[in-house]
C-alpha cells in the first residue's frame, strides 16, 4: 500500500509498523487520519515514539477513529471516564493484560482498537507482545478451518474482573460484567481477512461442543494462536504509543519488572458486532 502522509517502517512480515515523523498529540488532517485507518487495517498495530499525550489529546486522537468506550470494570479519573489508567508499582498485586487477550472481547460489540500511552517505563522489561489473529488462522490445516467455521464461543469478563477486584480490595458484590457469544473465526470488518477470535483471558467455552471437547479444542487454539511465529514484541520508551486493532491482534503485557513503576493511560475505541 502506498501512503502520501505517513512514513511507515514495518516490524515483521505478519504485523506491526512504526509510524515515524508524525505528531499525533496535535490535530491531524483528514488525509492523515484516513491513512492511519488504512495502515491499522494493513499492519494490525501501529507504534509511535515521543508522543507527550495528556488526557485531552489522547482522547482527541482516539475520537478520530470512533466513539470512546468506558471500561466495564474501571472507569477513568474525574472528568475523564474514557481513560483507563494502566499502572503497576511495588504495591501492585496484578497488572492489566497478564494473559493473552483481545481487549474486552466479552462485550457484545468488542472494541475496534486501543491506544496505549506510557509516560513512565521501567529501566528494562515491561514489553508488550502482539500476535496476529489472521496469521494464526492462516496456519491452520484446511480440515481444522472447516471444522471451526460454524462454531461460536462464549466470552465473559466475570473471572478476570472479579479476580482483579478481589486482589485490589474492591467490593463488586451485585455487579454484572459483560458476556457475549462470538464466532470462533471472525471476518475482519475492514480487511475481510479471517482471524481466530478466541483468547485465554475471556473465552470460556465453545458453545456447540460438550465441555470436555470444548476444553480440549480451546487449549489447542490458545496454544496455537500464541506461537512466536505470529508475534512481535514491543519495547516501550517513555511516551511511546501503541495503537492496536482488537479484531486483528491479541496481546500480552509482560510483568517482569516488579517492583519498578510502569505507568500510563489507554483509550479504547468502540467497535461493532463481529461476523463469521
Ligand atoms: C492492556 O491489556 O491494555 C495492557 C497492555 C500493556 O500494559 O502493555
Amino acid at each position: 500500500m502506498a501512503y502520501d502522509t505517513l512514513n511507515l517502517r514495518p516490524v515483521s512480515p505478519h504485523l506491526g509498523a512504526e509510524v515515524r515523523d508524525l505528531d499525533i498529540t496535535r490535530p491531524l488532517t483528514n488525509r492523515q487520519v484516513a491513512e492511519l485507518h488504512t495502515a491499522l487495517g494493513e499492519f494490525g498495530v501501529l507504534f509511535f515514539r515521543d508522543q507527550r499525550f495528556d488526557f485531552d489529546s489522547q482522547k482527541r486522537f482516539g475520537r478520530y477513529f470512533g466513539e470512546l468506550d468506558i471500561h466495564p470494570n474501571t472507569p477513568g479519573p474525574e472528568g475523564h471516564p474514557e481513560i483507563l489508567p494502566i499502572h503497576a508499582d511495588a504495591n501492585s498485586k496484578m497488572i492489566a493484560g497478564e494473559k493473552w487477550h483481545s481487549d474486552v472481547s466479552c462485550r457484545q460489540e468488542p472494541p475496534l482498537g486501543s491506544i496505549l500511552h506510557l509516560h513512565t517505563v521501567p529501566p528494562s522489561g515491561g514489553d508488550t507482545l502482539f500476535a496476529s489473529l489472521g496469521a494464526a488462522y492462516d496456519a491452520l490445516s484446511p480440515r481444522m478451518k472447516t471444522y471451526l467455521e460454524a462454531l461460536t464461543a462464549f466470552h465473559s469478563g466475570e473471572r478476570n474482573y472479579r479476580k482483579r477486584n478481589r486482589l485490589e480490595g474492591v467490593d463488586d458484590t451485585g455487579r454484572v460484567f459483560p458476556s457475549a457469544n462470538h464466532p470462533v473465526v471472525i471476518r475482519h470488518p475492514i480487511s475481510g481477512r479471517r482471524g481466530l477470535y478466541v483468547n485465554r483471558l475471556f473465552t470460556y467455552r465453545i458453545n456447540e461442543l460438550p465441555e470436555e471437547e470444548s476444553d480440549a479444542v480451546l487449549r489447542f487454539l490458545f496454544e496455537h494462536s500464541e506461537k512466536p511465529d505470529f508475534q512481535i514484541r514491543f519495547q516501550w520508551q517513555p511516551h511511546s504509543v501503541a495503537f492496536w486493532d482488537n479484531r486483528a491482534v491479541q496481546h500480552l503485557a509482560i510483568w517482569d519488572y516488579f517492583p519498578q513503576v510502569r505507568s500510563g493511560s489507554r483509550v479504547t475505541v468502540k467497535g461493532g458486532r463481529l461476523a463469521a
Side-chain angles (χ1 to χ4, degrees):
M1 202 89 64
Y3 295 89
D4 291 334
T5 65
L6 300 184
N7 177 6
L8 293 165
R9 193 190 67 86
V11 174
S12 86
H14 285 310
L15 79 160
E18 187 173 330
V19 184
R20 295 184 169 165
D21 312 319
L22 181 67
D23 182 354
I24 57 171
T25 69
R26 302 172 71 83
L28 299 176
T29 64
N30 292 343
R31 182 88 186 141
Q32 286 169 325
V33 172
E35 290 204 344
L36 284 169
H37 214 270
T38 306
L40 189 67
E42 183 176 356
F43 295 100
V45 51
L46 302 176
F47 303 109
F48 307 81
R49 299 290 186 189
D50 301 317
Q51 307 289 336
R52 289 173 185 267
F53 270 143
D54 56 20
F55 290 162
D56 286 321
S57 54
Q58 188 174 5
K59 289 197 295 187
R60 177 178 59 214
F61 180 71
R63 286 189 177 117
Y64 284 130
F65 304 93
E67 205 182 321
L68 299 185
D69 188 43
I70 296 177
H71 194 271
N73 189 49
T74 318
E78 185 72 30
H80 298 281
E82 312 90 343
I83 293 284
L84 177 70
I86 298 289
H87 179 88
D89 61 26
N91 299 313
S92 300
K93 305 274 191 301
M94 69 179 280
I95 62 158
E98 270 183 282
K99 286 186 183 171
W100 281 100
H101 66 289
S102 299
D103 286 326
V104 213
S105 71
C106 53
R107 278 216 193 279
Q108 298 280 346
E109 299 192 347
L112 173 158
S114 304
I115 298 154
L116 177 60
H117 167 238
L118 294 185
H119 52 74
T120 306
V121 300
S124 62
D127 298 352
T128 307
L129 273 58
F130 295 89
S132 164
L133 307 183
Y137 173 79
D138 291 348
L140 292 169
S141 69
R143 276 177 192 272
M144 180 56 89
K145 286 178 181 161
T146 306
Y147 174 69
L148 297 177
E149 234 159 53
L151 300 180
T152 63
F154 177 68
H155 297 233
S156 170
E158 274 290 319
R159 202 169 36 200
N160 177 43
Y161 299 136
R162 290 218 193 275
K163 175 182 171 196
R164 184 173 192 106
N165 293 337
R166 192 177 64 249
L167 288 173
E168 290 179 351
V170 173
D171 181 6
D172 61 10
T173 316
R175 284 181 64 185
V176 178
F177 296 105
S179 61
N181 293 310
H182 302 300
V184 169
V185 176
I186 60 165
R187 205 172 257 286
H188 190 278
I190 297 164
S191 69
R193 187 177 183 191
R194 289 202 167 105
L196 196 51
Y197 194 74
V198 291
N199 67 77
R200 218 175 262 281
L201 192 61
F202 293 116
T203 314
Y204 283 46
R205 176 79 191 259
I206 296 183
N207 294 312
E208 295 78 9
L209 301 180
E211 191 172 349
E212 269 185 43
E213 280 183 32
S214 166
D215 287 350
V217 173
L218 280 180
R219 197 175 321 117
F220 164 73
L221 293 178
F222 294 154
E223 285 171 8
H224 171 78
S225 63
E226 296 163 5
K227 280 185 184 160
D229 314 45
F230 317 133
Q231 290 177 19
I232 54 170
R233 183 173 184 127
F234 184 58
Q235 288 188 308
W236 294 87
Q237 295 164 3
H239 301 288
S240 296
V241 171
F243 179 11
W244 60 88
D245 181 331
N246 286 297
R247 296 91 40 96
V249 299
Q250 57 170 340
H251 60 284
L252 174 74
I254 307 290
W255 196 16
D256 54 0
Y257 52 88
F258 181 87
Q260 302 291 333
V261 179
R262 180 180 185 272
S263 196
S265 55
R266 192 182 93 193
V267 295
T268 310
V269 182
K270 286 187 182 181
R273 280 197 86 88
L274 297 171

